[in-house]
Each structure stands twice: as structure tokens, then as C-alpha cells.
Amino acid sequence: MIDLTPFCSPQDDLRYYLCAPFSDGDFSYATNGHIIVRVPRRADIQEREKAHPSCHKLFIENPAREMIAIPDIPPAPPQIDCMTCEATGKWNDGDTVEKCEDCGGTGKKNARQDIAVGEVHFAAKYLRLIITLPGAGKISPNGTGSAWFTFDGGDGLLMPIRA
């Protein structure tokens, strides 16, 4: 059974409703807002509690086109200092000091790395995540819309990024 949790938002995300897989209609989904995967509905995944637009609509609005092999993805670059908190891990808004949301309080962030698939660019971290799925390896870039990808047992969409 495919673990959908890597495609969800982190547990400290304010969008709590994206922090766990959910079911809707005939499918079970996982998303963080940049990537979404779906598999046939699973009994172990509950209905999403928050009212939301149908996720199925996203797949209708972004039809698959020609599938292209995902190119080799270089290793992730080393982390860089977080510029938001000046690598301290803390954010001072004048009244309180809180954990920096951009780096999760570590003072370090992953450097942005994008990969071109055809003419469209995608975040390398999401392409790395896709290729961990069984039978994955191809994606259908859709210009400015989401790119469709398939894997054994499901499919998904990935938002492009600006080059």
C-alpha cells in the first residue's frame, strides 16, 4: 500500500486540513498545495472534514498530454542560511520572539532547485518525491497548468514553477 503522507503538508502547517490524506468521492488524496496524488478510495482514509472544492475537478481541468520521461535529478544542493531570520531560527516581530516559519526554527533552508521537463520547470524536490512512487517516471507538462503524472495504483498533478 502506498504511503500518501509524504505528499501532505507538514504537521505544523496552518492549513491543518492538508496535513493528512483524505477521501472524497471515489478517491483518496494527499496534497500540500503544490502536488496532489490520488489513489482509488481507501477504507483507512477518512473523509476530509473541511468543506472544499472537489479535488477531482483539478484532474478534469488539467488533462494529460504527451508523457515525457522525468530527467535525471541531481542530488539536492547543500542547505543555505535562512534570510528571513538571518540564520537564527527565531523571528522577532517587535513584541514577541517566535520560531521562524520559513526554516522551521533551524536557521537553514533548502536551496531552490528546479528541473526543466520539456519547456516547463518543476521543483526538483517534488520530482524526487514522484519517482519514489511505484512505476512512476513520466510526467505530462501542461505549460502554465499542472502537469499530470501516473504511477502504479494512482495518478497526480504537480504545479510548475517559474524558471
Side-chain angles (χ1 to χ4, degrees), residues 108-143:
K108 296 284 186 182
K109 289 174 63 168
N110 293 328
R112 179 180 146 163
Q113 184 181 29
D114 62 288
I115 304 290
V117 181
E119 301 293 321
V120 184
H121 289 254
F122 299 97
K125 67 180 181 179
Y126 294 124
L127 294 174
R128 279 189 200 93
L129 196 53
I130 290 169
I131 62 174
T132 66
L133 293 165
K138 293 191 175 188
I139 193 166
S140 177
N142 188 9

Side-chain angles (χ1 to χ4, degrees), residues 13-82:
D13 192 320
L14 294 176
R15 301 167 301 167
Y16 66 91
Y17 50 90
L18 299 181
C19 297
F22 58 91
S23 292
D24 180 28
D26 294 334
F27 296 95
S28 294
Y29 297 89
T31 183
N32 66 10
H34 302 282
I35 188 168
I36 184 169
V37 295
R38 70 178 180 180
V39 296
R41 188 180 183 103
R42 290 182 12 196
D44 64 320
I45 299 177
Q46 297 178 355
E47 284 283 324
R48 186 154 114 185
E49 64 184 68
K50 180 177 167 64
H52 61 284
S54 171
C55 292
H56 183 68
K57 184 177 177 185
L58 295 171
F59 289 85
I60 293 169
E61 293 172 348
N62 293 281
R65 293 191 168 88
E66 178 186 358
M67 296 299 266
I68 298 173
I70 295 173
D72 290 335
I73 304 166
Q79 288 194 319
I80 58 173
D81 288 343
C82 176

